[in-house]
Amino acid sequence: MQGRLSVWLVKHGLVHRSLGFDYQRIDTLQIKPEDWHSIAVILYVYGYNYLRSQCAYDVAPGGLLASVYHLTRIEYGVDQPEEVCIKVFAPRSNPRIPSVFWVWKSSNFQERESYDMLGISYENHPRLKRILMPEIWIGWPLRKDYIAPNFYEIQDAH
């Protein structure tokens, strides 16, 4: 079952994969990293003028990393604006995704946080550097295979 936006993207020959709907019936789409920037511009022109949030997560230990974008069409006089969730997956070995800073300026700090915590490199971001951790920090704290430095687990302490 495809949502309205997914049908529109297919009609216009834009490559994506429908992941179904979330619990609020919001259409969720998967976009390849190499297609993301051009599709982001198309979505903005189509009317998705508000980036509600951007976040990222580690899909599985040793697996893919995901960057997630929640977009909304804000229009005058519309009580229930249209929303879509976009997921862009990147390989752990070289997680590179085009930045959408030049489309939605509000992605600035959100993409920086995703970089800082998971190591996803957002290409063409104007200031991609750590935002929460010190610059000298080694590793990506929210990856499932991350081992905290100087962490020693006490075994058999009873």
Coordinates of all heavy atoms in Angstrom, one line a residue, residues 51-117:
L51 N 11.0 21.2 7.8 CA 11.6 20.1 8.3 C 11.3 20.0 9.8 O 11.8 20.8 10.6 CB 13.1 20.2 8.1 CG 14.0 19.1 8.8 CD1 13.7 17.7 8.1 CD2 15.5 19.4 8.7
R52 N 10.4 19.1 10.2 CA 9.9 19.0 11.6 C 11.1 18.5 12.5 O 11.3 19.0 13.6 CB 8.7 18.0 11.6 CG 8.1 17.9 13.0 CD 6.9 17.0 13.0 NE 5.9 17.5 12.1 CZ 4.8 18.2 12.6 NH1 4.7 18.4 13.9 NH2 3.9 18.7 11.8
S53 N 11.8 17.5 12.0 CA 12.9 17.0 12.7 C 13.8 16.1 11.8 O 13.4 15.6 10.8 CB 12.5 16.1 13.9 OG 11.9 14.9 13.5
Q54 N 15.1 16.0 12.2 CA 16.0 15.1 11.6 C 16.7 14.4 12.8 O 17.1 15.0 13.8 CB 17.0 15.9 10.8 CG 18.0 15.0 10.0 CD 19.2 14.5 10.8 OE1 19.7 15.2 11.8 NE2 19.7 13.3 10.5
C55 N 16.8 13.1 12.6 CA 17.5 12.3 13.6 C 18.2 11.1 12.9 O 18.1 11.0 11.7 CB 16.6 11.8 14.7 SG 15.3 10.6 14.0
A56 N 19.0 10.4 13.7 CA 19.7 9.2 13.1 C 19.7 8.1 14.1 O 19.6 8.4 15.3 CB 21.1 9.6 12.7
Y57 N 19.9 6.9 13.6 CA 20.0 5.8 14.5 C 20.8 4.7 13.9 O 21.0 4.6 12.7 CB 18.6 5.3 15.0 CG 17.8 4.6 13.9 CD1 17.8 3.3 13.7 CD2 17.0 5.4 13.1 CE1 17.0 2.7 12.7 CE2 16.2 4.9 12.1 CZ 16.2 3.5 11.9 OH 15.4 2.9 10.9
D58 N 21.3 3.8 14.8 CA 22.1 2.6 14.3 C 21.1 1.5 14.2 O 20.5 1.1 15.2 CB 23.1 2.3 15.4 CG 24.2 1.3 15.0 OD1 24.0 0.6 13.9 OD2 25.2 1.2 15.7
V59 N 21.0 1.0 13.0 CA 20.0 -0.1 12.7 C 20.3 -1.3 13.5 O 19.4 -1.9 14.1 CB 19.8 -0.3 11.2 CG1 18.9 -1.4 10.9 CG2 19.4 1.0 10.5
A60 N 21.5 -1.8 13.4 CA 21.9 -3.0 14.1 C 23.4 -3.0 14.3 O 24.2 -2.4 13.5 CB 21.5 -4.2 13.3
P61 N 24.0 -3.7 15.3 CA 25.4 -3.7 15.4 C 26.1 -4.2 14.2 O 25.7 -5.3 13.6 CB 25.6 -4.7 16.6 CG 24.3 -4.7 17.3 CD 23.3 -4.5 16.3
G62 N 27.0 -3.5 13.6 CA 27.7 -3.9 12.4 C 26.9 -3.6 11.2 O 27.4 -3.9 10.1
G63 N 25.7 -3.1 11.3 CA 24.8 -2.9 10.1 C 24.8 -1.5 9.6 O 25.8 -0.8 9.8
L64 N 23.7 -1.1 9.0 CA 23.5 0.2 8.4 C 23.3 1.3 9.5 O 22.8 1.0 10.6 CB 22.4 0.2 7.4 CG 22.5 -0.8 6.2 CD1 21.2 -0.8 5.5 CD2 23.6 -0.3 5.3
L65 N 23.5 2.5 9.1 CA 23.1 3.7 9.9 C 22.0 4.4 9.1 O 22.0 4.4 7.9 CB 24.3 4.6 10.1 CG 25.5 4.0 10.8 CD1 26.7 5.0 10.8 CD2 25.2 3.6 12.2
A66 N 21.1 4.9 9.8 CA 19.9 5.6 9.2 C 19.8 7.0 9.6 O 20.0 7.4 10.8 CB 18.6 4.9 9.5
S67 N 19.5 7.9 8.6 CA 19.2 9.3 8.9 C 17.8 9.5 8.5 O 17.3 9.1 7.4 CB 20.1 10.2 8.0 OG 20.0 11.5 8.3
V68 N 17.0 10.0 9.4 CA 15.6 10.1 9.3 C 15.1 11.6 9.3 O 15.5 12.4 10.1 CB 14.8 9.4 10.5 CG1 13.3 9.4 10.3 CG2 15.3 8.0 10.6
Y69 N 14.3 11.9 8.3 CA 13.8 13.3 8.1 C 12.2 13.3 8.2 O 11.6 12.5 7.4 CB 14.2 13.8 6.8 CG 15.7 13.9 6.6 CD1 16.4 12.8 6.2 CD2 16.4 15.1 6.8 CE1 17.8 12.8 6.1 CE2 17.8 15.1 6.7 CZ 18.5 13.9 6.3 OH 19.8 14.0 6.2
H70 N 11.7 14.1 9.0 CA 10.2 14.2 9.1 C 9.8 15.6 8.5 O 10.2 16.6 9.0 CB 9.7 14.2 10.6 CG 10.0 12.9 11.2 ND1 9.1 11.8 11.1 CD2 11.0 12.4 11.9 CE1 9.5 10.8 11.8 NE2 10.7 11.1 12.2
L71 N 9.1 15.5 7.4 CA 8.8 16.7 6.6 C 7.3 17.0 6.6 O 6.5 16.1 6.7 CB 9.2 16.6 5.1 CG 10.7 16.2 4.9 CD1 10.9 15.9 3.4 CD2 11.6 17.3 5.4
T72 N 6.9 18.3 6.6 CA 5.5 18.7 6.7 C 5.3 19.8 5.6 O 6.1 20.6 5.4 CB 5.2 19.3 8.1 OG1 5.6 18.3 9.0 CG2 3.8 19.6 8.2
R73 N 4.1 19.7 5.0 CA 3.6 20.7 4.1 C 2.8 21.7 4.9 O 1.7 21.5 5.2 CB 2.7 20.1 3.0 CG 3.5 19.4 1.9 CD 2.5 18.8 0.9 NE 2.1 19.9 0.0 CZ 1.6 19.7 -1.2 NH1 1.3 18.4 -1.6 NH2 1.3 20.7 -2.0
I74 N 3.4 22.9 5.1 CA 2.7 23.9 5.8 C 2.0 24.8 4.8 O 2.6 25.4 3.9 CB 3.6 24.8 6.7 CG1 4.4 23.9 7.7 CG2 2.9 25.9 7.4 CD1 3.5 23.2 8.7
E75 N 0.6 24.9 4.9 CA -0.1 25.7 4.0 C -1.2 26.5 4.8 O -1.7 26.0 5.8 CB -0.9 24.8 2.9 CG 0.0 24.0 2.0 CD -0.8 23.1 1.1 OE1 -1.3 22.1 1.7 OE2 -0.8 23.4 -0.1
Y76 N -1.5 27.7 4.3 CA -2.4 28.6 4.9 C -3.8 27.9 4.9 O -4.3 27.4 3.9 CB -2.4 29.9 4.2 CG -3.4 30.9 4.9 CD1 -3.1 31.5 6.1 CD2 -4.6 31.2 4.3 CE1 -4.0 32.4 6.7 CE2 -5.5 32.0 4.9 CZ -5.2 32.6 6.1 OH -6.1 33.5 6.7
G77 N -4.4 27.9 6.1 CA -5.8 27.4 6.2 C -6.0 25.9 6.2 O -7.1 25.4 6.2
V78 N -4.9 25.2 6.3 CA -4.9 23.7 6.4 C -4.7 23.3 7.9 O -3.7 23.6 8.5 CB -3.9 23.0 5.5 CG1 -3.9 21.5 5.7 CG2 -4.1 23.4 4.1
D79 N -5.7 22.6 8.4 CA -5.6 22.2 9.8 C -4.8 20.9 10.0 O -4.1 20.8 11.0 CB -7.0 21.9 10.4 CG -7.8 23.2 10.6 OD1 -7.2 24.2 10.6 OD2 -9.1 23.1 10.6
Q80 N -4.8 20.0 9.1 CA -4.1 18.7 9.2 C -3.1 18.7 8.0 O -3.3 18.1 7.0 CB -5.0 17.5 9.1 CG -6.0 17.4 10.3 CD -5.2 17.1 11.6 OE1 -4.3 16.3 11.6 NE2 -5.7 17.7 12.7
P81 N -1.9 19.3 8.2 CA -0.9 19.3 7.1 C -0.4 17.9 6.8 O -0.3 17.0 7.6 CB 0.2 20.2 7.7 CG 0.1 20.1 9.2 CD -1.4 19.9 9.5
E82 N -0.1 17.7 5.5 CA 0.5 16.5 5.0 C 1.9 16.3 5.5 O 2.7 17.2 5.6 CB 0.5 16.5 3.5 CG 0.5 15.2 2.8 CD 0.4 15.4 1.3 OE1 -0.5 16.2 0.8 OE2 1.2 14.7 0.6
E83 N 2.2 15.1 6.0 CA 3.5 14.8 6.5 C 4.1 13.6 5.8 O 3.4 12.7 5.3 CB 3.5 14.5 8.0 CG 3.0 15.7 8.8 CD 3.0 15.3 10.3 OE1 4.0 14.7 10.8 OE2 1.9 15.6 10.9
V84 N 5.4 13.5 5.8 CA 6.1 12.3 5.3 C 7.4 12.1 6.1 O 8.0 13.0 6.6 CB 6.5 12.5 3.8 CG1 7.5 13.5 3.6 CG2 6.9 11.2 3.2
C85 N 7.8 10.8 6.2 CA 9.0 10.4 6.9 C 9.9 9.8 5.9 O 9.6 8.9 5.1 CB 8.7 9.4 8.0 SG 10.2 8.8 8.8
I86 N 11.1 10.4 5.8 CA 12.1 9.9 4.8 C 13.3 9.2 5.6 O 13.8 9.8 6.5 CB 12.7 11.1 3.9 CG1 11.6 11.8 3.2 CG2 13.8 10.5 3.0 CD1 10.9 11.1 2.2
K87 N 13.6 8.0 5.1 CA 14.8 7.3 5.7 C 15.9 7.1 4.7 O 15.6 6.7 3.6 CB 14.4 6.0 6.3 CG 13.4 6.1 7.5 CD 13.2 4.8 8.2 CE 12.3 5.0 9.4 NZ 12.2 3.7 10.2
V88 N 17.1 7.5 5.0 CA 18.2 7.4 4.1 C 19.2 6.5 4.9 O 19.7 6.9 5.9 CB 18.8 8.7 3.8 CG1 20.0 8.6 2.8 CG2 17.8 9.7 3.2
F89 N 19.5 5.3 4.3 CA 20.4 4.4 5.0 C 21.8 4.5 4.4 O 21.9 4.7 3.2 CB 19.9 2.9 4.8 CG 18.6 2.7 5.5 CD1 17.4 2.7 4.9 CD2 18.6 2.4 6.9 CE1 16.2 2.5 5.5 CE2 17.4 2.2 7.6 CZ 16.2 2.2 6.9
A90 N 22.8 4.4 5.2 CA 24.2 4.5 4.8 C 25.0 3.3 5.4 O 24.8 2.9 6.5 CB 24.8 5.8 5.2
P91 N 26.0 2.8 4.6 CA 26.8 1.8 5.2 C 27.7 2.3 6.3 O 28.2 3.4 6.3 CB 27.7 1.3 4.0 CG 27.7 2.5 3.1 CD 26.4 3.2 3.3
R92 N 27.9 1.5 7.3 CA 28.7 1.8 8.5 C 30.2 2.2 8.1 O 30.8 3.0 8.7 CB 28.7 0.7 9.5 CG 29.5 0.9 10.7 CD 29.5 -0.4 11.6 NE 28.1 -0.6 12.1 CZ 27.5 0.0 13.1 NH1 28.2 0.9 13.7 NH2 26.3 -0.3 13.4
S93 N 30.7 1.5 7.1 CA 32.1 1.6 6.8 C 32.4 3.0 6.2 O 33.5 3.5 6.3 CB 32.5 0.6 5.8 OG 31.7 0.6 4.6
N94 N 31.4 3.6 5.5 CA 31.6 4.9 4.9 C 30.2 5.7 4.9 O 29.6 5.8 3.8 CB 32.2 4.8 3.5 CG 32.5 6.2 2.9 OD1 32.7 7.2 3.6 ND2 32.6 6.3 1.6
P95 N 29.7 6.1 6.1 CA 28.4 6.7 6.1 C 28.4 8.1 5.6 O 28.7 9.1 6.3 CB 28.0 6.6 7.6 CG 29.3 6.6 8.3 CD 30.3 6.0 7.4
R96 N 28.0 8.3 4.3 CA 28.0 9.6 3.7 C 26.6 9.8 3.1 O 26.1 9.0 2.3 CB 29.1 9.7 2.6 CG 30.5 9.5 3.2 CD 31.5 9.6 2.1 NE 31.8 11.0 1.7 CZ 32.4 11.9 2.4 NH1 32.9 11.5 3.6 NH2 32.6 13.1 2.0
I97 N 26.0 11.0 3.5 CA 24.7 11.3 3.0 C 24.8 12.8 2.7 O 25.4 13.6 3.4 CB 23.6 11.1 4.1 CG1 23.5 9.6 4.4 CG2 22.3 11.7 3.7 CD1 22.6 9.3 5.6
P98 N 24.2 13.2 1.5 CA 24.2 14.7 1.2 C 23.4 15.5 2.3 O 22.3 15.1 2.7 CB 23.4 14.7 -0.1 CG 23.5 13.3 -0.7 CD 23.5 12.4 0.5
S99 N 24.0 16.6 2.6 CA 23.3 17.5 3.6 C 22.1 18.2 2.9 O 22.2 18.5 1.7 CB 24.3 18.5 4.1 OG 23.6 19.5 4.9
V100 N 21.1 18.4 3.7 CA 19.9 19.2 3.1 C 19.9 20.6 3.8 O 18.9 21.2 3.7 CB 18.6 18.4 3.3 CG1 18.5 17.2 2.5 CG2 18.3 18.1 4.8
F101 N 21.0 21.0 4.3 CA 21.1 22.3 4.9 C 20.7 23.4 3.9 O 20.0 24.4 4.3 CB 22.5 22.6 5.4 CG 22.7 24.0 5.9 CD1 22.3 24.4 7.1 CD2 23.3 25.0 5.0 CE1 22.5 25.7 7.6 CE2 23.5 26.3 5.5 CZ 23.1 26.7 6.7
W102 N 21.1 23.3 2.7 CA 20.8 24.3 1.7 C 19.3 24.3 1.2 O 18.9 25.2 0.6 CB 21.7 24.2 0.5 CG 23.1 24.3 1.0 CD1 24.1 23.3 1.1 CD2 23.8 25.5 1.5 NE1 25.2 23.7 1.6 CE2 25.1 25.1 1.9 CE3 23.4 26.8 1.7 CZ2 26.0 26.0 2.4 CZ3 24.3 27.7 2.2 CH2 25.6 27.3 2.6
V103 N 18.6 23.2 1.7 CA 17.1 23.1 1.4 C 16.3 23.6 2.6 O 15.4 24.4 2.5 CB 16.7 21.7 0.9 CG1 15.3 21.6 0.6 CG2 17.6 21.2 -0.2
W104 N 16.6 23.0 3.7 CA 16.0 23.3 5.0 C 17.1 23.7 6.0 O 17.8 22.9 6.5 CB 15.2 22.1 5.6 CG 14.1 21.7 4.7 CD1 12.9 22.3 4.5 CD2 14.1 20.5 3.9 NE1 12.1 21.6 3.7 CE2 12.8 20.5 3.3 CE3 15.0 19.5 3.6 CZ2 12.4 19.4 2.4 CZ3 14.6 18.5 2.8 CH2 13.3 18.5 2.2
K105 N 17.2 25.0 6.3 CA 18.3 25.5 7.2 C 18.2 24.9 8.6 O 19.2 24.8 9.3 CB 18.2 27.0 7.2 CG 18.4 27.7 5.9 CD 19.9 27.8 5.5 CE 20.1 28.7 4.4 NZ 20.4 28.1 3.2
S106 N 17.0 24.5 9.0 CA 16.8 23.9 10.3 C 17.5 22.6 10.5 O 17.6 22.1 11.6 CB 15.3 23.8 10.6 OG 14.7 22.9 9.7
S107 N 18.0 22.0 9.4 CA 18.8 20.8 9.6 C 20.2 21.0 10.1 O 20.9 20.0 10.5 CB 18.9 20.0 8.2 OG 19.7 20.7 7.3
N108 N 20.6 22.2 10.2 CA 22.0 22.5 10.6 C 22.5 21.8 11.9 O 23.3 20.9 11.8 CB 22.1 24.0 10.8 CG 23.6 24.5 11.2 OD1 24.5 23.7 11.1 ND2 23.7 25.7 11.6
F109 N 21.9 22.1 13.0 CA 22.3 21.5 14.3 C 21.9 20.0 14.4 O 22.6 19.2 15.0 CB 21.8 22.3 15.5 CG 22.4 23.6 15.6 CD1 21.7 24.8 15.6 CD2 23.8 23.7 15.8 CE1 22.2 26.0 15.7 CE2 24.4 25.0 15.9 CZ 23.6 26.1 15.8
Q110 N 20.8 19.7 13.7 CA 20.4 18.3 13.8 C 21.3 17.3 13.0 O 21.6 16.3 13.5 CB 18.9 18.2 13.2 CG 17.9 19.0 14.1 CD 16.6 19.1 13.4 OE1 15.9 18.0 13.2 NE2 16.1 20.3 13.1
E111 N 21.8 17.8 11.9 CA 22.8 16.9 11.1 C 24.1 16.9 11.9 O 24.8 15.9 11.9 CB 23.0 17.5 9.7 CG 21.8 17.2 8.8 CD 22.0 17.6 7.4 OE1 22.9 18.5 7.1 OE2 21.2 17.1 6.5
R112 N 24.5 18.0 12.5 CA 25.7 18.0 13.3 C 25.6 17.1 14.5 O 26.6 16.4 14.8 CB 26.0 19.4 13.8 CG 26.5 20.3 12.7 CD 26.8 21.7 13.2 NE 27.9 21.7 14.3 CZ 28.2 22.8 15.0 NH1 27.6 23.9 14.8 NH2 29.1 22.7 15.9
E113 N 24.5 17.0 15.1 CA 24.3 16.1 16.2 C 24.4 14.6 15.7 O 25.0 13.8 16.4 CB 23.0 16.3 16.9 CG 22.8 15.4 18.1 CD 21.5 15.6 18.9 OE1 20.8 16.6 18.6 OE2 21.1 14.8 19.7
S114 N 23.8 14.3 14.6 CA 23.8 13.0 14.0 C 25.3 12.6 13.7 O 25.7 11.5 13.8 CB 23.0 12.9 12.8 OG 21.6 13.0 13.1
Y115 N 26.0 13.6 13.2 CA 27.4 13.4 12.9 C 28.2 13.1 14.2 O 29.0 12.1 14.3 CB 28.0 14.6 12.2 CG 29.5 14.6 12.2 CD1 30.3 13.7 11.4 CD2 30.3 15.4 13.0 CE1 31.6 13.7 11.4 CE2 31.6 15.4 13.0 CZ 32.3 14.5 12.2 OH 33.7 14.5 12.3
D116 N 28.0 13.9 15.2 CA 28.7 13.8 16.4 C 28.4 12.4 17.2 O 29.3 11.8 17.7 CB 28.3 14.9 17.4 CG 29.2 15.1 18.5 OD1 30.2 14.5 18.6 OD2 28.9 16.0 19.4
M117 N 27.2 12.0 17.2 CA 26.8 10.8 17.9 C 27.0 9.5 17.1 O 27.3 8.4 17.7 CB 25.4 10.9 18.4 CG 25.1 12.0 19.4 SD 25.8 11.6 21.0 CE 27.3 12.7 21.0

